[in-house]
């Protein structure tokens, strides 16, 4: 790999991380606020669901996302009907 390719890969990684953080932050803050302030039915289930990625190995999480968002997956098929393809694309962010 050339130094230019390494810089390009690093820049892409940082852009994807920043975009993911910006998209996840409002949902995370709202969820945290709701869990801290309110008591509701299913609260322990939501807490367990949030903790699940910390308990599973990264490979299992990646495989689950691939199955969910893949072209033949349940969410990937829905997105494909709208003309959106997430997995197996090389489009720059």
């Amino acid at each position: 790999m050339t130094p230019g390719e390494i810089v390009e890969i690093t820049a892409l990684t940082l852009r994807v991380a920043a975009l993911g953080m910006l998209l996840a932050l409002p949902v995370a803050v709202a969820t945290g606020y709701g869990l801290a302030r309110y008591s509701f039915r299913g609260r322990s289930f939501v807490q367990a669901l949030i903790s699940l990625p910390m308990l599973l190995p990264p490979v299992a999480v990646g495989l689950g996302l691939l199955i969910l968002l893949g072209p033949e997956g349940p969410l990937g098929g829905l997105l494909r009907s709208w003309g959106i393809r997430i997995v197996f694309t090389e489009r720059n962010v």
Side-chain angles (χ1 to χ4, degrees):
M1 259 191 255
T2 66
E5 290 174 330
I6 293 173
V7 169
E8 185 180 334
I9 290 168
T10 304
L12 176 62
T13 301
L14 291 174
R15 284 195 310 265
V16 168
L19 179 63
M21 182 195 64
L22 288 174
L23 292 174
L25 189 62
V27 175
V29 170
T31 303
Y33 183 82
L35 287 172
R37 293 284 186 176
Y38 304 109
S39 181
F40 55 91
R41 187 178 172 158
R43 183 171 184 255
S44 59
F45 177 74
V46 172
Q47 288 176 324
L49 196 63
I50 290 170
S51 300
L52 196 59
M54 292 185 283
L55 301 174
L56 292 173
V59 172
V61 174
L63 181 61
L65 286 172
L66 184 61
I67 291 170
L68 180 69
L69 297 172
E72 303 301 321
L75 196 54
L78 177 66
L79 292 173
R80 187 176 55 192
S81 69
W82 294 339
I84 301 171
R85 187 170 175 197
I86 295 176
V87 182
F88 304 125
T89 59
E90 294 182 10
R91 193 175 126 204
N92 287 333
V93 175

PDB file of all heavy atoms in Angstrom, residues 75-85:
ATOM      1  N   LEU A  75     -34.427  -6.310   6.102  1.00  0.00           N
ATOM      2  CA  LEU A  75     -34.331  -4.857   5.983  1.00  0.00           C
ATOM      3  C   LEU A  75     -33.656  -4.456   4.669  1.00  0.00           C
ATOM      4  O   LEU A  75     -34.019  -3.454   4.064  1.00  0.00           O
ATOM      5  CB  LEU A  75     -33.566  -4.281   7.173  1.00  0.00           C
ATOM      6  CG  LEU A  75     -33.684  -2.791   7.403  1.00  0.00           C
ATOM      7  CD1 LEU A  75     -35.146  -2.367   7.506  1.00  0.00           C
ATOM      8  CD2 LEU A  75     -32.964  -2.407   8.675  1.00  0.00           C
ATOM      9  N   GLY A  76     -32.686  -5.249   4.228  1.00  0.00           N
ATOM     10  CA  GLY A  76     -32.021  -4.968   2.952  1.00  0.00           C
ATOM     11  C   GLY A  76     -32.966  -5.058   1.773  1.00  0.00           C
ATOM     12  O   GLY A  76     -32.888  -4.259   0.835  1.00  0.00           O
ATOM     13  N   GLY A  77     -33.892  -6.004   1.800  1.00  0.00           N
ATOM     14  CA  GLY A  77     -34.892  -6.120   0.741  1.00  0.00           C
ATOM     15  C   GLY A  77     -35.827  -4.929   0.699  1.00  0.00           C
ATOM     16  O   GLY A  77     -36.184  -4.438  -0.371  1.00  0.00           O
ATOM     17  N   LEU A  78     -36.216  -4.449   1.887  1.00  0.00           N
ATOM     18  CA  LEU A  78     -37.074  -3.269   1.964  1.00  0.00           C
ATOM     19  C   LEU A  78     -36.342  -2.040   1.423  1.00  0.00           C
ATOM     20  O   LEU A  78     -36.896  -1.274   0.636  1.00  0.00           O
ATOM     21  CB  LEU A  78     -37.518  -3.029   3.405  1.00  0.00           C
ATOM     22  CG  LEU A  78     -38.366  -1.791   3.656  1.00  0.00           C
ATOM     23  CD1 LEU A  78     -39.715  -1.921   2.964  1.00  0.00           C
ATOM     24  CD2 LEU A  78     -38.544  -1.582   5.140  1.00  0.00           C
ATOM     25  N   LEU A  79     -35.093  -1.871   1.837  1.00  0.00           N
ATOM     26  CA  LEU A  79     -34.315  -0.736   1.354  1.00  0.00           C
ATOM     27  C   LEU A  79     -34.069  -0.832  -0.151  1.00  0.00           C
ATOM     28  O   LEU A  79     -34.067   0.172  -0.853  1.00  0.00           O
ATOM     29  CB  LEU A  79     -32.978  -0.657   2.099  1.00  0.00           C
ATOM     30  CG  LEU A  79     -33.062  -0.284   3.577  1.00  0.00           C
ATOM     31  CD1 LEU A  79     -31.696  -0.409   4.236  1.00  0.00           C
ATOM     32  CD2 LEU A  79     -33.624   1.104   3.759  1.00  0.00           C
ATOM     33  N   ARG A  80     -33.854  -2.040  -0.642  1.00  0.00           N
ATOM     34  CA  ARG A  80     -33.619  -2.224  -2.078  1.00  0.00           C
ATOM     35  C   ARG A  80     -34.851  -1.817  -2.885  1.00  0.00           C
ATOM     36  O   ARG A  80     -34.735  -1.261  -3.981  1.00  0.00           O
ATOM     37  CB  ARG A  80     -33.256  -3.674  -2.368  1.00  0.00           C
ATOM     38  CG  ARG A  80     -32.825  -3.893  -3.811  1.00  0.00           C
ATOM     39  CD  ARG A  80     -32.382  -5.303  -4.061  1.00  0.00           C
ATOM     40  NE  ARG A  80     -33.451  -6.214  -3.648  1.00  0.00           N
ATOM     41  CZ  ARG A  80     -33.300  -7.512  -3.532  1.00  0.00           C
ATOM     42  NH1 ARG A  80     -32.157  -8.075  -3.778  1.00  0.00           N
ATOM     43  NH2 ARG A  80     -34.305  -8.279  -3.167  1.00  0.00           N
ATOM     44  N   SER A  81     -36.038  -2.042  -2.334  1.00  0.00           N
ATOM     45  CA  SER A  81     -37.252  -1.629  -3.041  1.00  0.00           C
ATOM     46  C   SER A  81     -37.352  -0.106  -3.152  1.00  0.00           C
ATOM     47  O   SER A  81     -38.032   0.401  -4.018  1.00  0.00           O
ATOM     48  CB  SER A  81     -38.494  -2.201  -2.350  1.00  0.00           C
ATOM     49  OG  SER A  81     -38.690  -1.578  -1.091  1.00  0.00           O
ATOM     50  N   TRP A  82     -36.656   0.611  -2.275  1.00  0.00           N
ATOM     51  CA  TRP A  82     -36.607   2.072  -2.328  1.00  0.00           C
ATOM     52  C   TRP A  82     -35.391   2.572  -3.107  1.00  0.00           C
ATOM     53  O   TRP A  82     -35.134   3.767  -3.141  1.00  0.00           O
ATOM     54  CB  TRP A  82     -36.568   2.662  -0.934  1.00  0.00           C
ATOM     55  CG  TRP A  82     -37.821   2.437  -0.139  1.00  0.00           C
ATOM     56  CD1 TRP A  82     -39.068   2.154  -0.619  1.00  0.00           C
ATOM     57  CD2 TRP A  82     -37.941   2.477   1.280  1.00  0.00           C
ATOM     58  NE1 TRP A  82     -39.950   2.017   0.421  1.00  0.00           N
ATOM     59  CE2 TRP A  82     -39.284   2.208   1.597  1.00  0.00           C
ATOM     60  CE3 TRP A  82     -37.061   2.698   2.315  1.00  0.00           C
ATOM     61  CZ2 TRP A  82     -39.753   2.178   2.890  1.00  0.00           C
ATOM     62  CZ3 TRP A  82     -37.525   2.661   3.604  1.00  0.00           C
ATOM     63  CH2 TRP A  82     -38.858   2.406   3.887  1.00  0.00           C
ATOM     64  N   GLY A  83     -34.607   1.642  -3.643  1.00  0.00           N
ATOM     65  CA  GLY A  83     -33.424   2.017  -4.413  1.00  0.00           C
ATOM     66  C   GLY A  83     -32.199   2.290  -3.562  1.00  0.00           C
ATOM     67  O   GLY A  83     -31.245   2.897  -4.026  1.00  0.00           O
ATOM     68  N   ILE A  84     -32.200   1.829  -2.310  1.00  0.00           N
ATOM     69  CA  ILE A  84     -31.073   2.042  -1.403  1.00  0.00           C
ATOM     70  C   ILE A  84     -30.359   0.717  -1.205  1.00  0.00           C
ATOM     71  O   ILE A  84     -30.986  -0.292  -0.890  1.00  0.00           O
ATOM     72  CB  ILE A  84     -31.552   2.582  -0.044  1.00  0.00           C
ATOM     73  CG1 ILE A  84     -32.288   3.895  -0.225  1.00  0.00           C
ATOM     74  CG2 ILE A  84     -30.382   2.737   0.920  1.00  0.00           C
ATOM     75  CD1 ILE A  84     -32.973   4.392   1.027  1.00  0.00           C
ATOM     76  N   ARG A  85     -29.042   0.725  -1.364  1.00  0.00           N
ATOM     77  CA  ARG A  85     -28.243  -0.478  -1.141  1.00  0.00           C
ATOM     78  C   ARG A  85     -27.109  -0.114  -0.201  1.00  0.00           C
ATOM     79  O   ARG A  85     -26.330   0.789  -0.483  1.00  0.00           O
ATOM     80  CB  ARG A  85     -27.705  -1.003  -2.456  1.00  0.00           C
ATOM     81  CG  ARG A  85     -27.020  -2.321  -2.306  1.00  0.00           C
ATOM     82  CD  ARG A  85     -26.703  -2.929  -3.636  1.00  0.00           C
ATOM     83  NE  ARG A  85     -25.943  -4.140  -3.413  1.00  0.00           N
ATOM     84  CZ  ARG A  85     -25.239  -4.743  -4.329  1.00  0.00           C
ATOM     85  NH1 ARG A  85     -25.216  -4.257  -5.555  1.00  0.00           N
ATOM     86  NH2 ARG A  85     -24.568  -5.832  -4.056  1.00  0.00           N
TER      87      ARG A  85
END
